Amino acid sequence: MSDVLHPLPAGYEVSTDAARLDAARVHHWLSTDAYWAMGRSREKQDRAIAGSLNFGVYDSASGEQVAYARVVTDRATFAWLCDVYVDRSVRGKGLGGALAAAVRDHLEPCGLRRILLATADAHGVYEKAGFSALDDPAKWMALGQR
C-alpha cells in the first residue's frame, strides 16, 4: 500500500509514515495552542505518538508538516481519533475535514465497530466526514474526566 493515502486539496498530502512526523512541531502545536493539550510535556507527547497510529499532512512542494491527527486503536473493534490539529497558517482550506476523511478511509478495512472523538468546537468539520453525535450518550462513562 502506498504511503500517501487520501487525497487532500491540491498541494497537500497525508501520510502515516512515522519517519515523516515533525514531533517537535506537533508538540509545540498541541502544548501551546490546543485547548485539550495545553502544557502537555514533550515526553508525554512522544509516548502518545509512539503508541498510536499517526497521520501527518504535508505541503507537497516543501515537505513541511501542516497538520496532524492521532488514532488510538486495536485495529479490530475500536478507535479513538484525537489530537487533530491544523496549523493556523493553512486553516480554511479544508485540510481538517480531508484529514478526518483520510483517517476514516484508512481505518475502514479494519471493520471497526466504532470510531470516537471529542470536540468542543469542530462538530461541522467532523460531520462532513460522517461523524455524528452519540445516539445515547448516557450509556457512556469515563474515568478521569476534566
Side-chain angles (χ1 to χ4, degrees):
M1 177 169 121
S2 170
D3 166 53
V4 177
L5 306 167
H6 195 276
L8 272 79
Y12 298 95
E13 60 190 28
V14 64
S15 171
T16 58
D17 181 357
R20 291 184 72 182
L21 286 177
D22 184 339
R25 176 173 273 197
V26 169
H27 174 254
H28 176 75
W29 284 336
L30 297 177
S31 67
T32 65
D33 195 38
Y35 66 84
W36 66 90
M38 295 295 284
R40 183 181 292 170
S41 72
R42 175 67 191 267
E43 185 272 335
K44 185 170 287 231
Q45 183 61 46
D46 287 349
R47 281 191 298 143
I49 288 171
S52 302
L53 172 60
N54 300 278
F55 293 76
V57 176
Y58 304 89
D59 179 288
S60 298
S62 69
E64 178 183 19
Q65 187 172 352
V66 297
Y68 174 75
R70 185 169 69 85
V71 177
V72 180
T73 183
D74 60 11
R75 291 182 171 90
T77 63
F78 179 80
W80 177 270
L81 173 59
C82 53
D83 287 346
V84 179
Y85 188 91
V86 176
D87 189 85
R88 288 185 176 275
S89 69
V90 295
R91 289 184 187 172
K93 297 182 177 190
L95 293 174
L99 178 54
V103 169
R104 176 201 64 209
D105 294 351
H106 184 78
L107 293 173
E108 194 276 328
C110 297
L112 303 175
R113 180 173 180 182
R114 184 170 288 114
I115 301 171
L116 292 180
L117 63 85
T119 184
D121 58 1
H123 295 79
V125 170
Y126 298 109
E127 286 169 350
K128 291 175 186 172
F131 288 85
S132 62
L134 292 173
D135 289 335
D136 189 358
K139 288 182 180 179
W140 292 85
M141 298 179 73
L143 180 65
Q145 297 181 50
R146 293 217 284 157

